[in-house]
Each structure stands twice: as structure tokens, then as C-alpha cells.
Amino acid sequence: MSGFDLSAILSNPEYVEMLLHGIEMTFVIYIGSWLLAMTLALVFLGLRFSPLRFGNPIVAAYVSYHRNVPTLVQLMLWYFGIFTLMPQGWTTWLAGHNAEAIFAIIGLGLCQAAYFSEDLRSGLRSVNPGQMEAAKALGHSYISAMRFVIMPQGVRNALPPLINHSVSLFKNSSLALVIGASELTHAVKEIENLSFRTFEIYLVGTVLYLFFSLLIMTGGAYLSMRADPARSARA
């Protein structure tokens, strides 16, 4: 085999198609798990700030589990464990509808919800308590004050860690390789097996992950600037 030849990868229509499919599946997994994680995080946030006594301990236990068990182990538990215990009808349906991607979304989403909920909780706790008192003095109810005064400030404070964890979630989508999801890393591995161009294809994969991660970070920075006019003016 000759030396370094990137065109051997990029000029092959089959390899390019595999990479494009891998990118598509990566974003399907990423967006699906992000939406699941954020939805659960908001639910957990409501439980933690609710008057229910059992809310905070349950969420704390959930967060502790998902922050201390490796994400890879959680994905394998879902796909190689829970999936096999489901009723036959469920497993048949899932097998015909890309079960690997579905369980990747579930596993990553459930895990990331723990981090998102803590980010949002920290953002809300950083809001001066006097803001609630001022809102009530202006005639807001508790719900109205949370919606129009506290939450906007809390989410704005939580944006930096939320953006960081969103980028981490994108990168962690590569872990779906171990359960057979046909995402970008899976495509890179398959192309390596077909082409024997190890350095070239891993270089392409690295550049693609770097590009999309920087794109997400840039979008997050733009949102942060829009959410904080003072920071935007300083910039």
C-alpha cells in the first residue's frame, strides 16, 4: 500500500456515503438524547423546587447514580440487558426500527439529564433571593415570578455549563458504537476495515468531530451573548 493518500477515502463514493449516513445518525442520536435529557431535567427541577418531601431525595439519588456509573456501562445495560428482558413483541418491533439508535438515545438521554438538571438547579440557586421578593411585591404570584423573573435569569446563568455538557453529549454519541448504532465512529471503523487506510479515515473522523463540536460551541456562545446583553456590549 502506498503512503498517505486522503483522496483514497474522499474520492470513493461508497465511503463518502457511509460517512454522510454516520453523520446523519450521529445527529439523530444527539438531538434525540438532548431533547430527552432536557425534558427530564426540567421535570427534575420542578420536583426539587416543589413542596413534595420525596422529590428532592429521588432526584438526588437519580443524579448520583448517573454521575457515578460510566455512560458506556449504562448503554450496555440498556441494550444487552434491559432490551433482552422486554416482551417478544416489543423486541421484534424495536429490532425493526433501529433498536441500536433508540437505546443509544435512551441511555445517553437518561444519563445527560442528571447533568442538565444540576446545571439548571445551580443556575436557579445563583439568582438573588431578593428577586422573588421583588417580583411578589410587584404583584406576581409564585408561578408567575418563577416563569417571568427567576427562570429567565436562572437559565441564563446556567447556559455556560449547559453548553459544555451539550458538547460532551455530542462527543459521547460515539459510545453508541459499542451497541452497534451506525453513527459516525461506526462508519469510520467500517471504512477502515474496507480500505485499510487507518490514518486517513481516523483523520477524517477527527476533523468531522472537531468541526461539529466547534459548531455547537459557536452556537452556544451566540446564545449566551444574546441572553446577556451586558456581555454582548462588552464584547
Side-chain angles (χ1 to χ4, degrees), residues 174-187:
S174 62
L175 296 175
L177 167 72
V178 300
I179 61 173
S182 56
E183 42 71 63
L184 180 56
T185 304
H186 183 275

Side-chain angles (χ1 to χ4, degrees), residues 134-158:
K136 289 183 176 180
L138 292 173
H140 286 280
S141 64
Y142 176 80
I143 295 178
S144 177
M146 286 294 293
R147 178 181 177 185
F148 295 107
V149 180
I150 306 301
M151 282 296 293
Q153 296 182 66
V155 171
R156 184 178 64 201
N157 294 340

Side-chain angles (χ1 to χ4, degrees), residues 8 25 64 81 109 124 148 160 165-166 185 217:
M25 286 307 303
S64 179
L124 285 181
F148 295 107
H165 283 135
S166 293
T185 304
M217 291 179 64

Side-chain angles (χ1 to χ4, degrees), residues 155-215:
V155 171
R156 184 178 64 201
N157 294 340
L159 272 178
L162 283 174
I163 293 167
N164 288 336
H165 283 135
S166 293
V167 175
S168 295
L169 176 59
F170 174 76
K171 293 185 293 185
N172 284 340
S173 67
S174 62
L175 296 175
L177 167 72
V178 300
I179 61 173
S182 56
E183 42 71 63
L184 180 56
T185 304
H186 183 275
V188 167
K189 187 65 177 175
E190 287 297 305
I191 294 172
E192 181 204 11
N193 292 336
L194 293 171
S195 67
F196 299 102
R197 293 282 180 179
T198 302
F199 179 71
E200 289 91 337
I201 187 56
Y202 278 107
L203 176 62
V204 171
T206 299
V207 170
L208 287 172
Y209 274 111
L210 177 62
F211 172 76
F212 289 120
S213 294
L214 291 176
L215 192 63

